[in-house]
Amino acid sequence: MNDRVTVIWAREPIPAGPSVFLAGPTPRDADTPSWRPAAIAAIESHWQGQGPLLVLAPETAGGLRESDYDNQVDWEVDGLDSAGAILFWIPRDIRRLPGFTTNVEFGLYARSGRVVLGCPPDCPNPERNRYLVSTARRYGVPVLETLTDTVTSALAVIGAEPAR
């Protein structure tokens, strides 16, 4: 574990400081692995900023889902609003990782100047990301194909942001 990177899990208080929000589809069953641990590991490996970094992960440590939907939504909106960078990683799989909420979140924040979009070309349904990629290009959002490149791009956004 990197002591310069702190993961803030869903519904935990969000402290002030440089942060990246890990936006993208969340597994809906125990058989579907989350992509977020790999993203967190890549962030820990690549973060070279001046101080500590917060990683806002809209999952619960241990994988438990929130029974109060409004609490989860409120936390995610607060996290998205406060994050210095919003990393969208969308390994689209309509059956296991549909990402319908992710589509809405991307649309809401695409023009913020804080978004990067990662869409792996080898995911089960890459054709379902075409509109997001087109929208990203229209608004100057970086579009990447690997999780590591997406992380690097998001960290560059944080490095260019004034402290929030």
Side-chain angles (χ1 to χ4, degrees):
M1 188 66 150
N2 182 331
D3 63 353
R4 293 177 30 82
V5 174
T6 301
V7 179
I8 308 299
W9 298 100
R11 299 170 313 283
E12 293 179 351
I14 301 172
S19 61
V20 59
F21 188 98
L22 300 181
T26 298
R28 300 183 183 286
D29 61 62
D31 295 331
T32 303
S34 175
W35 57 271
R36 288 186 178 94
I40 292 166
I43 290 167
E44 289 174 342
S45 169
H46 290 86
W47 175 242
Q48 299 293 320
Q50 293 292 328
L53 176 68
L54 304 170
V55 177
L56 308 179
E59 293 182 29
T60 301
L64 300 175
R65 293 185 66 84
E66 170 63 46
S67 60
D68 185 332
Y69 185 75
D70 290 337
N71 285 342
Q72 179 72 26
V73 171
D74 289 346
W75 185 90
E76 289 187 25
V77 170
D78 289 347
L80 287 160
D81 285 347
S82 68
I86 305 170
L87 181 158
F88 281 88
W89 179 249
I90 308 176
R92 185 82 67 190
D93 181 339
I94 293 302
R95 192 174 60 78
R96 300 179 82 183
L97 291 170
F100 300 132
T101 301
T102 299
N103 292 343
V104 174
E105 291 169 342
F106 182 80
L108 289 171
Y109 292 92
R111 294 185 187 192
S112 71
R114 299 179 290 128
V115 169
V116 299
L117 176 64
C119 296
D122 60 349
C123 67
N125 299 112
E127 73 282 358
R128 299 295 183 141
N129 285 332
R130 286 186 317 207
Y131 188 81
L132 296 180
V133 170
S134 176
T135 300
R137 290 188 175 132
R138 178 171 287 113
Y139 296 118
V141 171
V143 178
L144 298 306
E145 293 186 349
T146 70
L147 185 55
T148 299
D149 288 346
T150 307
V151 163
T152 301
S153 184
L155 294 179
V157 170
I158 294 168
E161 281 285 310
R164 289 179 175 259

